[in-house]
């Protein structure tokens, strides 16, 4: 046998050995998978048999330690699950309490755990659902141009700058018939005189003149 024949033979032997090694690895891996499947099936079988036989004294006899161990594990597992559920409930309650809101009735601050508003005593559902009251209308005279409240003695509206003599609304007690800016009468000359029927006239010089020939 020549040199080349020896080399070829060695290569073939190496290739065959490598193939056998690869096949062995594949087979071993498959055996491992089968063992895991068997263990899972045996566990399921054991669990089903445990449930079916745990109250059978004849079958339990001689296997008390196994049955008691399984029962003890099941009891502890249930207790741990109960503790986890309690922790989840506490976390949910804490999140609810942290999500505060403003009472829609009185504006007091409330937490999610409050049953009643500490400010007005409204129930929590009413404090959440009721729409917040709008701002109350200002009392007293108001600017006819922008609606802003006017102070006593104001000559101009502090909000829009309109003259009070031409911008006071009807609530201030001055009607359009008494506005004298277009009549050329100075504000200091205005005098309002009442007649018997409630009509009023404005005249310069501080004297009231009756209307309509009165």
């Amino acid at each position: 046998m020549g040199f080349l024949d020896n080399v070829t033979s060695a290569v073939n032997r190496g290739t065959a050995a490598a193939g056998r090694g690869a096949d062995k690895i594949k087979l071993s891996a498959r055996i491992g998978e089968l063992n895991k499947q068997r263990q899972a099936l045996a566990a399921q079988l054991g669990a089903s048999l445990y449930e079916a036989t745990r109250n059978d004294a004849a079958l339990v006899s001689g296997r008390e330690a196994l049955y008691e161990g399984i029962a003890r594990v099941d009891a502890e597992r249930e207790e741990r699950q109960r503790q986890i559920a309690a922790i989840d409930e506490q976390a949910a309650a804490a999140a609810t309490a942290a999500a505060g809101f403003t009472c829609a009735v009185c504006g007091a601050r409330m937490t999610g755990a409050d049953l009643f508003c500490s400010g007005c005593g409204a129930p929590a559902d009413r404090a959440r659902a009721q729409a917040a009251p709008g701002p109350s209308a200002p009392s007293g005279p108001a600017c006819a141009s922008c609606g802003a409240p006017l102070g006593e003695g104001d000559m101009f509206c502090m909000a829009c700058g309109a003259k009070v003599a031409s911008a006071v609304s009807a609530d201030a007690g001055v009607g359009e018939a008494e506005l004298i800016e277009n009549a050329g009468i100075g504000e200091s000359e205005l005098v309002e005189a009442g007649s018997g029927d409630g009509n009023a006239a404005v005249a310069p010089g501080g004297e009231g003149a009756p209307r309509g020939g009165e």
Side-chain angles (χ1 to χ4, degrees):
M1 182 179 291
F3 175 76
L4 292 178
D5 293 335
N6 292 334
V7 171
T8 302
S9 178
V11 170
N12 290 336
R13 288 195 300 271
T15 302
R20 289 191 297 271
D23 291 341
K24 183 178 180 180
I25 292 174
K26 291 179 181 179
L27 292 171
S28 297
R30 180 55 181 165
I31 290 173
E33 294 176 356
L34 292 173
N35 286 335
K36 291 180 180 179
Q37 292 179 11
R38 187 182 188 283
Q39 290 175 358
L41 292 172
Q44 294 178 19
L45 176 61
S48 63
L49 289 175
Y50 169 77
E51 294 296 333
T53 62
R54 62 179 179 173
N55 296 321
D56 190 331
L59 293 174
V60 172
S61 179
R63 305 178 181 87
E64 289 84 0
L66 293 174
Y67 281 87
E68 291 174 1
I70 293 174
R72 183 170 58 253
V73 169
D74 288 347
E76 183 175 353
R77 182 181 59 186
E78 292 177 1
E79 174 62 19
R80 297 294 180 265
Q81 290 174 343
R82 187 195 64 78
Q83 293 175 355
I84 291 175
I87 291 173
D88 290 341
E89 290 179 1
Q90 293 174 0
T96 301
F101 61 97
T102 300
C103 175
V105 179
C106 69
R109 190 65 181 171
M110 297 179 62
T111 67
D114 292 339
L115 298 178
F116 298 92
C117 174
S118 60
C120 64
D125 55 350
R126 180 185 172 196
R128 285 179 182 273
Q130 181 171 322
S136 57
S139 59
C143 175
S145 296
C146 67
L150 297 172
E152 185 178 356
D154 286 349
M155 300 292 293
F156 297 91
C157 175
M158 301 300 292
C160 65
K163 288 184 66 176
V164 172
S166 61
V168 177
S169 65
D171 290 340
V174 180
E176 293 182 358
E178 285 74 37
L179 298 179
I180 45 76
E181 184 175 1
N182 295 331
I185 303 174
E187 294 178 0
S188 61
E189 298 176 304
L190 270 179
V191 174
E192 185 174 340
S195 62
D197 58 359
N199 293 327
V202 179
E207 296 181 358
R211 295 176 178 177
E214 294 179 359

